[in-house]
Amino acid sequence: MKAQKSTNQNAKGTDTLKVSHQSNAVNIGFGTKPLKHITSAISTVLGSDLEKNFTLNLGNSLYGRLAGLSVTQGGSEPGASTPNLFVRGVNTFGGASNAPLYIIDGFISNGSGTANAFMQLMPEEIESISILKDASATAIYGARAANGVILVTTKTGGEGPLKISFTTKQGFNQAQYLPKFLGAYNYSVLYNEALNNDGLQAKYTTADLEAYQNGTDPVFHPDVNWYNEVLRKTSPVSNYDLTFNGGDKNVRYFVMLNALQSQGLFKKFGDLDAESSNSKYAKYNFRTNLDISLNANLSAEFKIAGSIEQTDNPNNYTTGGTFNTLQTLPPNVFPVYNPNKSFGGNALYSNPVANLLSTGFYKNNSRTILSSLKFTEKLDMITEGLSASAAVSINNYFESGSRKSKQYPRYSISKGVLGDTLYSPVIGQLTSLSGAEETLDQYRNTIIQAFLNYKRTFGKSDVSGMVMFNTDNITFFGPASDPSTPSANSTDPYKHNSVAGRFTYAYDSKYIAAFSGNYMGTEIFAPGKRYGFFPAASVGWILSNEKFFKQNKSINYLKIRGSYGLVGNDIIASQGLSTRYAYTPTFGGGSYFFGTGNTAVGGFAENAVANPNVTWEKEKTLNIGIEATVFKNFDVSFDYFNRDRYDILVASNGTTPLFLGIVTPTLNQGKTNNKGFDLSLRYNKKIRNDLQFFVETNVSYSKNKIVFNAESLQLNTALYATGTSIGQPFGLKAVGFYSIEDIAKRATDFRSVPGVLTEVIKAGDIKYQDIGGPDGKPDGIIDGNDRIAIGNAGLPYLVVGLHTGLKYRAFDADFIFQGVTGNTVYLGGNTFQAFQGNGQVGPIALGRWTPETATTADYPRLSSKDNLNNYLFSSFWQRDGSFIKLRSAEIGYTLPAILSNKVKIKTARVFMNGTNLFSLDKIPYGDPESLAGYPVTRTITLGLKIQL
């Protein structure tokens, strides 16, 4: 909860809300409501709070700030990574979307990842972000609302003289944690041990080991830290923001210009080679919001905003391939440069330094435009409180790429009998730059809306209502899986039509009832099945306004509320694909066999059988909440929710018999349940005029399960996903290591100590529990029949945020902590699995099994080949993903007015802030949110804000 309540007594009790002290209204779907009339579950954070950290996208500023919102790290690569946002966990599976609906100033924001306009916004242009969580808050969005709604309201101008604000932040970022690998000496020692374990001859002689240990022969016995060769310790970041705000009774304006830059962690390879590029990211945002009173009754709102992003990288558009190489390449495989200054390398491994210097450069550029125009006419001449509005919004996103690529030669070397350097035949060849320009992503949408609003007070009765019409169409170029050859199906506009309404009645500031609904249709379903109705109702009772409660001195405010409703999710498959129309049959190439030669003849065959009844997912949501203010300074908000989703699209393996001889269709048969609670607490205290502080925390708990999945029959009942959490991992259960005695028993009867049949089991290999065979009973063989639910899903079921702040005279401080638990991470890849895929070995392998360490080992025996037993998906490689992180911290000082006034400055503040400053977790080998790829970054900046 962000439970900072308004000081107006009538505005207290805004469930999970944090609002401005000057505001008595809350932004809801397509409108606002007085705080006292809110009966929905909503969490809100102010844009001014989000300015207190430095992030490259808006999503990364939301960690730990809002009850009911889970934010998971999606990587830290500038311009390529965004976090994943979930409202009250997840409640669907398969190909359906779990992402919330993003609304910016009343209009839908499309796209995913960096293409989503929400992620491109800057905190400086935002008034507030609200999370709509229950059906009474989201039903107004109909078949798009089941995953929750994230509602953004941007800043507007106010009457008054021109106010100019300028802010700059200058600083650096650095990797919070980089994978650790053993040096060449330890690598060689352990590799010899791995070869010995496999019954093979040692590769490295005593002389080799001494050379690695002493570092006396860097040419033929290199010890290269590839991360140090490619990455720098810190890279600069900067941000400049300029805003203008003001107006009169006729025109109010807000204007923002923002420039953000971040250089990547790669060294500046573009400075070393004109045909390479320095890694850098730049984003330029602008916004103009105008509110115009055309006459006494007619007003207009015009908003135009956008962003331009450009990312430059050597070698590729993104850095994933380079980091994969860094995590694989052994330290002693070859030097960066050979004695003749050619690049080291061989046929198996490329040279990452050479890749970044000599394979060209890539640029991608994206442009986003958000525009809207809205007219509102007061109709008081018909009846007081009546108004009508019409609005149109046109939005566009386009991303282009420019790639200039080439190849380079590399050579492996060996020492001749005379100690000279022998070069292998060239690997690769030197080529000149060749270029290509391409479209990487694009979408556009057009939205038309019409409203009829009514708001009036009759004595003790407050009545408000709204009826609206919305039509929109969205055209995608196609996602990554289908961009270059879009079909008519994938580029057809996605169309939605809807009529929605909301009615609220409040009596005597005590009793509140609200009803909302949306009749919505979309073209992706069959004619006659495209429209549905999504209603919701809520009630609230402000007990503290009752006469019998007036004398209570300890409880200053108390409200209880409840809601129930139906919402939908119509993104039941990835958008932009040619297979979007599941209700129509599709056909593809088929082969038929004729004659005694069994010769295949090409033909045409039906693909999966069409489902003419395909429809959106539906969810019935119950929410019960209570809000209270105790002893004036302590605010509490609690919400319990239960979400039952059904009509989830699943493969009908358990309901359509295979003997029909068809590819079974996907049917709306899946069901899930998700229940939990949101808790928000806040305590604020003004000790004296120059000292005040606050502490607030939010707790979000959600636990889901699959109720029905139409699964195939399983003899091992532990393999059923039904009854488990969404995303539950299934794998083998590790029960220790095989002992020497186990191997002796297997030599006489391999079933006496169960093991896999795909690998020669040896002492020190991981031992698994025999759960069941083909007949559902243990059979002495470890295979797919022995998999069970292991660990937890990747999304934590408990998220806690702690926000605290202090102001003492001219000094201020602000801190955000986030903690999560209930999730599991998996230790996979070369960082953790020694020598697999001809890769590296990390410190985790130092605890390996040997005959001498059999009782204390916490890692299996080493193997020089890809071991088909030890690296199966199993509980052995799972770890608790819980952590506590200091997400952001800021310390500031505001110059005394006597100083700032002398230079015609209204206020001036200097500050220092940081993000991702530290992490307390149970993973000693990396960050639990990002164990591979571009590392999570820590950012520290020094800033200045001036207001004129």
Side-chain angles (χ1 to χ4, degrees), residues 275-459:
E275 294 187 343
S276 181
S277 170
N278 293 332
S279 179
K280 55 188 176 181
Y281 167 75
K283 180 172 69 169
Y284 305 96
N285 284 62
F286 68 90
R287 173 172 292 277
T288 297
N289 288 353
L290 295 177
D291 294 278
I292 305 172
S293 299
L294 299 172
N295 58 42
N297 293 319
L298 180 62
S299 61
E301 300 174 12
F302 173 70
K303 304 179 191 292
I304 185 167
S307 68
I308 299 172
E309 294 180 286
Q310 179 161 316
T311 305
D312 296 69
N313 274 312
N315 182 245
N316 209 330
Y317 286 121
T318 60
T319 64
T322 297
F323 280 97
N324 286 338
T325 300
L326 295 179
Q327 288 184 275
T328 302
L329 200 59
N332 63 347
V333 65
F334 47 74
V336 178
Y337 295 98
N338 294 320
N340 65 356
K341 304 304 180 182
S342 64
F343 287 118
N346 57 35
L348 183 61
Y349 303 104
S350 63
N351 184 324
V353 174
N355 290 346
L356 297 176
L357 273 172
S358 301
T359 58
F361 56 91
Y362 290 67
K363 297 176 181 287
N364 70 316
N365 181 283
S366 66
R367 286 88 76 190
T368 302
I369 291 292
L370 306 175
S371 63
S372 65
L373 178 63
K374 182 177 181 180
F375 292 95
T376 300
E377 174 78 12
K378 295 180 181 179
L379 301 176
D380 291 336
M381 72 289 292
I382 299 176
T383 183
E384 183 182 344
L386 184 67
S387 65
S389 300
V392 60
S393 176
I394 300 174
N395 309 300
N396 182 71
Y397 174 82
F398 180 80
E399 181 182 8
S400 62
S402 174
R403 49 187 171 94
K404 305 294 189 292
S405 59
K406 65 176 186 176
Q407 297 181 33
Y408 66 93
R410 61 186 188 269
Y411 302 84
S412 63
I413 60 174
S414 59
K415 182 181 290 189
V417 293
L418 301 178
D420 54 334
T421 302
L422 303 179
Y423 289 83
S424 71
V426 64
I427 303 166
Q429 58 183 337
L430 179 64
T431 63
S432 59
L433 280 176
S434 62
E437 308 298 317
E438 54 195 338
T439 297
L440 300 177
D441 197 4
Q442 126 182 40
Y443 70 79
R444 61 181 180 271
N445 68 21
T446 304
I447 305 167
I448 299 174
Q449 297 174 345
F451 301 84
L452 194 62
N453 291 283
Y454 181 71
K455 183 179 182 181
R456 194 167 179 181
T457 300
F458 301 90

Side-chain angles (χ1 to χ4, degrees), residues 746-760:
R746 284 181 55 84
T748 57
D749 180 7
F750 72 91
R751 293 181 186 268
S752 63
V753 182
V756 299
L757 299 180
T758 55
E759 183 72 45
V760 177

